[in-house]
Amino acid sequence: MTKNRKAPVPQMVDIARLAGVSKSTVSRALADSPLVNDKTKALVKKLAIEHNYRLNVAARNFRLKESLTISVLLPTAVGADWRLSDPFFLELLGAIADSVDAHGHQLLLSRTSPQDGNWIKSFVEKRNADGLILIGQGSQHKAINELAKNYKALSVWGAKLEDTMHYPVVGTDNELGGKRITTHLLSQGRRRIAFLGLRDSPEIMQRFAGYCLAHNEFDLPWHKSLVVEDQINPSPLQTQLKKLLGLKSGCDAIVASSDVQAMSAIQSLQELGLSVPRDIAVVGYDDITLAQYYNPALTTIHQDRKQAGNFLVENVLSAINGGETTTRTLDPELIVRDSA
Amino acid sequence: MTKNRKAPVPQMVDIARLAGVSKSTVSRALADSPLVNDKTKALVKKLAIEHNYRLNVAARNFRLKESLTISVLLPTAVGADWRLSDPFFLELLGAIADSVDAHGHQLLLSRTSPQDGNWIKSFVEKRNADGLILIGQGSQHKAINELAKNYKALSVWGAKLEDTMHYPVVGTDNELGGKRITTHLLSQGRRRIAFLGLRDSPEIMQRFAGYCLAHNEFDLPWHKSLVVEDQINPSPLQTQLKKLLGLKSGCDAIVASSDVQAMSAIQSLQELGLSVPRDIAVVGYDDITLAQYYNPALTTIHQDRKQAGNFLVENVLSAINGGETTTRTLDPELIVRDSA
DNA sequence: ATGAAAGCGCTAACAC
DNA sequence: GTGTTAGCGCTTTCAT
């Protein structure tokens, strides 16, 4: 590209000269300050457009010490390199992106290992965003909570914990979700219900609590042998499932901790020659878009991402402005389809 | 951290004072400039860490007129509000994020309507990123090409076009992909193969060309009545499929333009009482992670997102530095599973 | 090898 | 209402 000896990109001072006013007036006019005479304002704006003037955002941000940018930290899938953690997180990301955009901000995307509490902190300290949204607490509640004491512009998708929380959380009522879906299975006569995915995430723990609660309400015991700690990785899953099915009293239903896990389980079961839901019912969690297209269509718990995205963004933005912040618990809607 | 009534966050000048040197030396030391004495460098670094100094990135970016940030524009799904277009794009986004990160840059995420050529331009002019990655050309090749004449830091996922291209593209060989998958169906004896999704995207057009090519090689005609322009929206799909099946010679296979579309089609077919692949074979495109978990597991074309992500990022970064840029055509690997 | 000084382009007191 | 002026925190000549 050839270099012009003139200003390739006009600055405020250029517009000021053209309009016969000062830089400040241009700045004010462009920011729609009520201080400026309407006539001058109109003139300045016209000139700015005519000369294709663009505000130097970097300069503005530097001067104002704000970036109009929100960081979103997405957990990496266990083990693998992204591998698309899970469509649910990405659908949630989409909702967040829309909301951030609607509020006139930008979205900086980063990934992080779910373990890495320190990384979050060092990330914050770079302060190249005005606020931070964490998608999932993972096992990092303590670290996050500690950070939150000094850093307020924080908003987290995840579970509300008993512990004193220094940060606001948005999430569905996991206990209720776990209970609803288990109740659904129990009331269909399922009695040997396996619970998949007791990882160290608080969300799953709460769903498990709901699973127990449902059993209690039916005056039925739950069985430790039916509780399986699992990774998304399919080969161990297949093994685990075989173990479940090999139990003396067998297993007639499975509560998975995500739709992806449910799909993976269903496929394994079918490979083992079992029919879902006839031989064994399987329920998911999340209600990702693909859940309805699955075969059999997945019975699952819907997590409202649009609402979640809005709440998450409202929380950071409010915190950035020194305002209040609200922990929100969304309704875990049971979606009954064909898999259970 | 020492309690200071002064600046809560230390600046270069503070470190300079502590080290008994000047701002410039601190700046140089922290940037590992060979100009500074190793001893001073070590001292400065030590002090910086001790006092928890963080470079003010905004100031640096402003001064250097660079942001170390890459923008990624993701197309919004047709009609709906994101609805997470398609897991494939998000898996690709993940790969890009990893690569951007590996190169020490940040990733600014935005969405855009596939139609909106002007928006891309105005986005660029805000210049709050050093470069731009477009995920998909949509119908905007002309607009992009025009933009690319003046704006070099551009990298696009999509299709290589016959037209003179002013921007580098990374994508799989769509024609070959379309041909491979059609050939696979033909060599299995399928003769009435429908093609779904003739939207205005060049990628799909090229796959369609491959579809025709395959028929030619088998000395078979393809039928206009079997070419269906479709949206992802399920209800029209169902209608379209009925129409296909109602054709006097019927239809025994479907080439979908994405895995999501394939899944949606399979479900509709099953609702209509048809068995896949027995009655009708269905192939997808993309090989999203969920494709293998689907029932039946999807036969599809694999698009290597990791490679794609790397190439895309290498291209922008190179362009930013005034270097060369390479259009890359990836191999569309046929993955044979159970759906065809 | 180090320091002094000049801005990068903008906004916001503070004058008038 | 509008202009003047003083920086924001950093990098980088240019001098020493």
Side-chain angles (χ1 to χ4, degrees):
Chain A
M1 251 189 356
T2 39
K3 250 298 183 20
N4 250 334
R5 60 190 163 200
K6 266 266 188 170
V9 14
Q11 311 188 348
M12 272 195 180
V13 68
D14 299 316
I15 305 302
R17 204 174 300 126
L18 289 161
V21 298
S22 75
K23 266 198 316 180
S24 336
T25 302
V26 175
S27 172
R28 287 193 271 250
L30 261 24
D32 249 327
S33 158
L35 290 166
V36 198
N37 184 325
D38 281 351
K39 224 170 246 164
T40 11
K41 200 185 279 188
L43 175 64
V44 167
K45 283 185 176 174
K46 183 172 137 282
L47 253 21
I49 291 171
E50 270 179 24
H51 292 261
N52 202 34
Y53 169 77
R54 305 284 161 183
L55 177 67
N56 180 328
V57 183
R60 196 208 86 111
N61 290 348
F62 170 51
R63 174 65 233 241
L64 261 33
K65 295 171 190 311
E66 71 174 10
S67 60
L68 298 184
T69 296
I70 304 296
S71 270
V72 175
L73 251 54
L74 207 57
T76 304
V78 248
D81 36 14
W82 266 63
R83 285 204 33 229
L84 191 357
S85 351
D86 190 313
F88 172 71
F89 291 119
L90 293 149
E91 299 189 12
L92 180 54
L93 174 64
I96 293 172
D98 279 345
S99 187
V100 164
D101 191 62
H103 286 92
H105 283 239
Q106 300 183 303
L107 164 6
L108 211 54
L109 180 64
S110 298
R111 11 137 277 163
T112 173
S113 137
Q115 343 283 9
D116 204 342
N118 248 350
W119 198 77
I120 297 174
K121 184 154 183 275
S122 79
F123 186 86
V124 164
E125 285 173 340
K126 277 192 185 165
R127 62 211 145 86
N128 33 23
D130 298 340
L132 179 61
I133 294 178
L134 253 38
I135 300 192
Q137 297 141 305
S139 52
Q140 293 305 309
H141 165 63
K142 277 205 157 17
I144 299 169
N145 218 19
E146 194 54 35
L147 169 68
K149 287 184 187 167
N150 302 309
Y151 186 75
K152 290 293 149 208
L154 197 57
S155 182
V156 179
W157 165 263
K160 184 174 161 185
L161 300 172
E162 294 306 314
D163 198 8
T164 314
M165 306 262 298
H166 296 295
Y167 58 91
V169 158
V170 175
T172 51
D173 186 332
N174 287 292
E175 190 176 296
L176 183 55
K179 188 178 155 197
R180 276 191 182 153
I181 208 146
T182 309
T183 300
H184 174 71
L185 292 170
L186 287 169
S187 59
Q188 285 187 148
R190 307 283 175 171
R191 284 299 175 269
R192 300 277 303 173
I193 305 175
F195 186 92
L196 244 55
L198 195 56
R199 296 176 243 173
D200 54 358
S201 128
E203 295 180 69
I204 309 293
M205 297 299 283
Q206 297 182 349
R207 290 184 207 162
F208 180 66
Y211 164 94
C212 297
L213 235 60
H215 280 82
N216 287 348
E217 285 198 358
F218 274 71
D219 268 328
L220 291 167
W222 56 271
H223 305 282
K224 195 154 199 303
S225 56
L226 289 171
V227 178
V228 177
E229 201 155 335
D230 166 64
Q231 319 286 53
I232 279 181
N233 195 325
S235 55
L237 217 204
Q238 168 95 247
T239 318
Q240 307 267 31
L241 290 175
K242 271 190 198 148
K243 212 179 289 172
L244 280 178
L245 300 167
L247 293 175
K248 61 180 180 309
S249 327
C251 163
D252 58 10
I254 291 177
V255 173
S257 57
S258 72
D259 287 347
V260 174
Q261 195 182 45
M263 292 179 189
S264 163
I266 291 175
Q267 214 214 23
S268 290
L269 291 171
Q270 283 167 337
E271 274 169 15
L272 297 172
L274 293 169
S275 159
V276 175
R278 211 192 49 222
D279 300 328
I280 186 160
V282 178
V283 297
Y285 209 100
D286 295 341
D287 191 26
I288 60 177
T289 305
L290 255 29
Q292 60 182 300
Y293 298 138
Y294 196 74
N295 176 32
L298 243 47
T299 292
T300 189
I301 293 285
H302 183 74
Q303 304 207 80
D304 190 334
R305 20 203 163 290
K306 188 159 181 178
Q307 227 181 52
N310 282 333
F311 285 151
L312 284 168
V313 172
E314 281 167 16
N315 270 344
V316 236
L317 254 29
S318 170
I320 289 172
N321 298 320
E324 285 308 298
T325 231
T326 322
T327 284
R328 307 271 192 173
T329 306
L330 310 180
D331 185 57
E333 190 190 352
L334 176 66
I335 308 281
V336 179
R337 295 204 187 91
D338 306 330
S339 72
Chain B
M1 262 206 321
T2 39
K3 211 50 180 293
N4 236 334
R5 74 233 153 142
K6 267 258 190 170
V9 12
Q11 312 188 349
M12 271 194 181
V13 68
D14 300 315
I15 305 302
R17 205 174 301 127
L18 288 161
V21 297
S22 75
K23 267 197 315 180
S24 334
T25 302
V26 175
S27 173
R28 288 193 270 249
L30 260 24
D32 250 326
S33 157
L35 289 167
V36 262
N37 185 324
D38 283 349
K39 224 168 251 167
T40 9
K41 198 184 280 187
L43 174 64
V44 167
K45 283 185 176 172
K46 184 171 134 283
L47 254 20
I49 292 172
E50 271 179 23
H51 292 261
N52 201 33
Y53 169 77
R54 305 281 162 185
L55 177 67
N56 181 328
V57 183
R60 195 209 84 113
N61 289 348
F62 169 50
R63 173 67 233 244
L64 261 33
K65 294 172 192 311
E66 72 175 10
S67 61
L68 299 182
T69 296
I70 304 296
S71 270
V72 175
L73 250 54
L74 207 57
T76 302
V78 247
D81 36 14
W82 264 61
R83 287 205 28 230
L84 220 331
S85 352
D86 190 313
F88 172 70
F89 291 119
L90 292 149
E91 299 189 13
L92 180 54
L93 173 62
I96 293 173
D98 279 345
S99 187
V100 164
D101 190 62
H103 286 91
H105 283 238
Q106 300 183 301
L107 163 7
L108 210 55
L109 180 64
S110 298
R111 10 138 278 162
T112 174
S113 136
Q115 342 283 9
D116 203 342
N118 247 350
W119 198 77
I120 297 174
K121 185 154 183 275
S122 80
F123 185 86
V124 164
E125 284 173 341
K126 278 192 182 164
R127 60 210 147 89
N128 33 23
D130 298 340
L132 179 61
I133 295 177
L134 252 37
I135 301 192
Q137 297 142 304
S139 51
Q140 293 305 309
H141 165 64
K142 277 203 155 23
I144 300 170
N145 218 21
E146 193 55 35
L147 169 68
K149 287 184 186 164
N150 301 311
Y151 185 74
K152 288 295 148 206
L154 197 57
S155 183
V156 179
W157 165 264
K160 184 174 161 186
L161 301 171
E162 293 306 314
D163 196 9
T164 312
M165 305 263 296
H166 296 295
Y167 58 92
V169 159
V170 176
T172 51
D173 186 331
N174 286 292
E175 189 175 298
L176 183 54
K179 188 179 156 199
R180 278 195 181 150
I181 209 145
T182 310
T183 301
H184 174 70
L185 292 169
L186 288 170
S187 59
Q188 286 186 148
R190 308 282 176 172
R191 284 300 174 267
R192 300 278 302 174
I193 305 175
F195 186 92
L196 244 56
L198 195 56
R199 297 175 244 173
D200 53 358
S201 127
E203 294 180 70
I204 308 294
M205 296 299 282
Q206 296 182 349
R207 290 184 206 161
F208 180 66
Y211 164 95
C212 298
L213 235 60
H215 280 82
N216 286 347
E217 285 198 357
F218 274 70
D219 267 328
L220 292 166
W222 56 271
H223 306 282
K224 197 156 198 302
S225 56
L226 289 171
V227 178
V228 177
E229 201 155 334
D230 166 65
Q231 318 288 50
I232 278 182
N233 196 324
S235 55
L237 216 203
Q238 169 93 248
T239 319
Q240 306 269 31
L241 290 175
K242 272 191 198 145
K243 211 180 291 171
L244 281 178
L245 300 167
L247 293 174
K248 60 179 182 310
S249 327
C251 162
D252 58 9
I254 291 177
V255 173
S257 57
S258 72
D259 287 346
V260 174
Q261 194 181 46
M263 292 180 189
S264 163
I266 291 176
Q267 215 215 21
S268 290
L269 291 171
Q270 283 168 337
E271 274 169 16
L272 296 172
L274 293 169
S275 157
V276 176
R278 212 190 48 224
D279 300 329
I280 185 160
V282 178
V283 296
Y285 209 100
D286 295 340
D287 192 24
I288 61 177
T289 304
L290 254 30
Q292 60 182 299
Y293 298 139
Y294 196 74
N295 177 31
L298 242 49
T299 293
T300 189
I301 292 285
H302 182 74
Q303 305 207 81
D304 190 335
R305 20 204 164 288
K306 187 159 181 178
Q307 227 181 52
N310 282 332
F311 285 150
L312 284 168
V313 172
E314 280 166 18
N315 270 345
V316 233
L317 254 30
S318 170
I320 289 172
N321 298 320
E324 285 308 299
T325 231
T326 323
T327 284
R328 307 273 193 172
T329 305
L330 310 180
D331 185 56
E333 190 191 352
L334 176 66
I335 309 282
V336 179
R337 295 205 186 92
D338 306 330
S339 72

